[in-house]
Amino acid sequence: ITAELPHIALFPSAGMGHLTPFLRLASMLLSRNCALTFITAHPTVSANESSYISSFLSHHPQVNHIELQITPFLHSTSTDDDPFFLQFQATSRSTHPLGPLLSTISPPVSAIFSDFLVASSIAPIAADLGIPNYAVATTSVKFFSLMANLPNLLSNVAQLSTTTEVNVPGLAPIPISSIPPPFKDPNHLFTSQIATNAPALSAAKGILINSFDGFEPETLAAANNGRVLNHLPPFLPIGPLQPYELKRDKMQCLSWLDSKPAESVVYVSFGSRTAMSKDQIRELSKGLEASGCSFLWVLKTTKVDKEDEEELQDLLGDSFLDRTKNKGIVVKTWVNQQEILEHPAVGGFITHCGWNSVMEAARRGIPVLAWPQHGDQMVNAGVVENAGLGIWERKWGWGVLVNGEEIAIRIKELMENEKLRRSARKVGEEGMKASEVDGSSEKVLTGVIEFLKQ
Ligand code: BUP
């Protein structure tokens, strides 16, 4: 007699960077015949979130959907009006209907897999239901360990303004220049949301993370041996998460990539939430042109997709678009990044080091030029460099305007450095191996499902 397959409730927080790993995880769980409830916040911040959620649900009608109505809540001493941070907070404050809703579903829910950013509001709900809660980490093990330690760091916040390094037990010291500047302000919404949720981690059964054994081995070992914080549950690396197929029309840029030689194109994207300054956009355009490399550039000028209305001509100038029309493509629309990275013509990736992008590059073994913009991205850039996946110019600090000549030099290095290409390829092989049958990440996910069957 086989035990019942588990019914898992998944609950992401705001932004494509949070939704994407949950949709991938959902799809991996469905392919293992788990029953799923997908919890979403309504309204979403970006148009892409709502379109991805509807598309996923219409392809998987067997998935039960709970839509939580979000009551916008303005932080009383708001130091940042980032709509995603406001939504993190509003989502955490809108979870009260969940307990009653989850308690009446059939078959009964066996576990909640929820975003770290709702940990403190989900822990008591899971405890009341008598089911385990797994936190889902949407960043590197290293940055997550730093977040778990944030309450300790904030207990001596004055020190963060004078020190040169931050010490997280068990980890190599992290230069203060890599720490997100908002961490120096306990009232900043980004900081307060993380600090509120960190203590709740001790109630979680495990931390599911989109990483793999070979990518951050020392940090994983330190965290899982209780050196980082002894109350932390184990990190469960289940990455690189598998992409899932949603039938869409073939993107135009893929046909363009078809016409390019193998590994000749540099793909440029700074994720879904980076609004790059107009000056920096100009310098980047100069750098791309001067590098002489073919490029595919996904350009965004606002944090929220719905507000992005600027025309390419106004941003880059007709003459740039004209001069580079045989060399490159610039798009302002949402693309399927995973599909682009899988194209054989793509040979390098200039990325902000959002963690999903890092894992997508790692899965394919694509060399990365790390250019962090905010949040966890500098710490992630250090992880990328350490793993042998990419290069990182530390001088390109938070808010520093980098000039086109420097950018061109780094792009050439990215595309021409054979040693880097070999080591990135090796990362890709390890990443693929981790998620194959009997691979380390595959075994971890199977272990969690087996545990939940009991
Ligand atoms: Br832009 C863009 N197409 O056009 P990250 C992004 N993506 O598929 P972020 C597309 O969105 P956080 C596009 O592949 C990745 O899976 C991309 O997540 C995909 O960065 C995801 O890389 C973006 O983690 O989120 O958006 O900055 O701030 O949460 O890291």
Side-chain angles (χ1 to χ4, degrees):
I1 301 168
T2 51
E4 290 264 331
L5 281 157
H7 177 175
I8 296 167
L10 293 156
F11 186 18
S13 190
M16 285 305 290
H18 290 257
L19 179 63
T20 302
F22 273 88
L23 291 177
R24 290 188 175 146
L25 181 54
S27 159
M28 287 159 74
L29 293 169
L30 284 175
S31 69
R32 289 151 188 267
N33 299 319
C34 294
L36 290 192
T37 289
F38 206 83
I39 305 162
T40 59
H42 182 82
T44 60
V45 178
S46 66
N48 271 313
E49 287 166 86
S50 77
S51 121
Y52 267 72
I53 292 166
S54 341
S55 176
F56 185 83
L57 292 170
S58 67
H59 279 81
H60 301 289
Q62 74 275 39
V63 174
N64 179 39
H65 183 208
I66 295 180
E67 198 168 51
L68 277 185
Q69 289 302 317
I70 299 299
T71 321
F73 177 87
L74 289 180
H75 191 237
S76 52
T77 56
S78 184
T79 47
D80 193 311
D81 57 0
D82 185 312
F84 292 97
F85 298 167
L86 290 167
Q87 181 90 342
F88 292 159
Q89 187 188 39
T91 307
S92 287
R93 289 172 191 255
S94 308
T95 52
H96 35 275
L98 269 184
L101 285 170
L102 290 175
S103 67
T104 51
I105 300 179
S106 174
V109 175
S110 0
I112 308 176
F113 291 3
S114 56
D115 205 300
F116 161 67
L117 285 169
V118 289
S120 66
S121 50
I122 292 302
I125 294 175
D128 278 353
L129 293 169
I131 55 174
N133 173 214
Y134 289 77
V136 176
T138 57
T139 182
S140 54
V141 181
K142 190 155 189 182
F143 192 79
F144 197 90
S145 302
L146 177 68
M147 293 199 295
N149 259 280
L150 191 60
N152 296 336
L153 296 177
L154 293 177
S155 66
N156 192 354
V157 71
Q159 207 200 354
L160 289 178
S161 301
T162 51
T163 185
T164 54
E165 287 180 337
V166 166
N167 287 302
V168 174
L171 307 190
I174 304 174
I176 193 74
S177 52
S178 289
I179 303 294
F183 276 6
K184 292 177 192 162
D185 176 5
N187 295 319
H188 194 288
L189 208 42
F190 180 65
T191 312
S192 64
Q193 286 301 295
I194 294 171
T196 304
N197 286 299
L201 284 172
S202 55
K205 181 81 192 154
I207 302 163
L208 294 163
I209 193 154
N210 183 15
S211 194
F212 54 98
D213 269 354
F215 202 70
E216 297 179 82
E218 293 94 7
T219 317
L220 260 178
N224 283 350
N225 291 333
R227 276 182 280 148
V228 168
L229 277 176
N230 59 19
H231 69 258
L232 270 192
F235 278 91
L236 303 165
I238 54 167
L241 296 175
Q242 303 295 303
Y244 60 91
E245 290 295 322
L246 285 184
K247 289 204 176 46
R248 283 167 183 261
D249 297 337
K250 182 167 170 164
M251 290 179 288
Q252 247 182 345
C253 60
L254 287 180
S255 312
W256 179 79
L257 285 173
D258 287 344
S259 70
K260 298 288 167 196
E263 299 181 341
S264 66
V265 176
V266 56
Y267 171 63
V268 188
S269 174
F270 296 90
S272 64
R273 310 203 292 121
T274 298
M276 192 170 253
S277 73
K278 290 193 178 150
D279 287 342
Q280 190 59 82
I281 288 172
R282 292 257 169 195
E283 291 305 319
L284 179 49
S285 69
K286 286 184 203 160
L288 283 165
E289 189 175 3
S291 76
C293 298
S294 297
F295 59 87
L296 170 52
W297 180 8
V298 178
L299 175 56
K300 287 183 53 64
T301 50
T302 57
K303 275 186 191 171
V304 179
D305 51 8
K306 304 178 234 195
E307 295 159 7
D308 205 345
E309 284 166 353
E310 201 115 15
E311 297 291 333
L312 275 180
Q313 282 82 350
D314 298 335
L315 290 164
L316 297 168
D318 280 327
S319 65
F320 170 81
L321 294 170
D322 206 40
R323 282 195 310 276
T324 56
K325 66 173 183 292
N326 296 322
K327 267 291 179 192
I329 294 195
V330 189
V331 289
K332 283 196 77 228
T333 48
W334 184 263
V335 296
N336 183 337
Q337 176 168 301
Q338 179 82 47
E339 224 178 313
I340 289 172
L341 290 173
E342 286 184 13
H343 197 287
V346 174
F349 181 14
I350 306 182
T351 169
H352 66 315
C353 289
W355 195 247
N356 295 292
S357 296
V358 168
M359 276 299 118
E360 287 158 18
R363 192 171 166 274
R364 301 295 301 165
I366 303 222
V368 154
L369 169 54
W371 190 354
Q373 304 289 315
H374 50 80
D376 57 348
Q377 296 155 16
M378 276 219 197
V379 171
N380 295 348
V383 174
V384 162
E385 186 186 52
N386 208 33
L389 182 65
I391 48 175
W392 171 32
E393 176 50 83
R394 285 173 170 67
K395 278 194 311 206
W396 300 3
W398 306 120
V400 169
L401 180 67
V402 183
N403 75 47
E405 282 160 43
E406 272 188 70
I407 297 171
I409 293 171
R410 287 308 198 161
I411 295 176
K412 280 195 224 158
E413 184 184 347
L414 171 72
M415 299 304 280
E416 290 166 12
N417 182 336
E418 279 309 312
K419 193 165 158 237
L420 172 65
R421 190 161 301 283
R422 276 195 303 277
S423 79
R425 198 170 288 146
K426 194 158 156 269
V427 171
E429 284 159 11
E430 282 178 20
M432 280 292 192
K433 213 161 101 199
S435 39
E436 278 167 7
V437 178
D438 277 343
S440 56
S441 295
E442 197 269 347
K443 279 189 189 157
V444 169
L445 188 58
T446 305
V448 171
I449 296 174
E450 288 301 316
F451 171 78
L452 294 177
K453 274 190 199 169
Q454 289 161 16

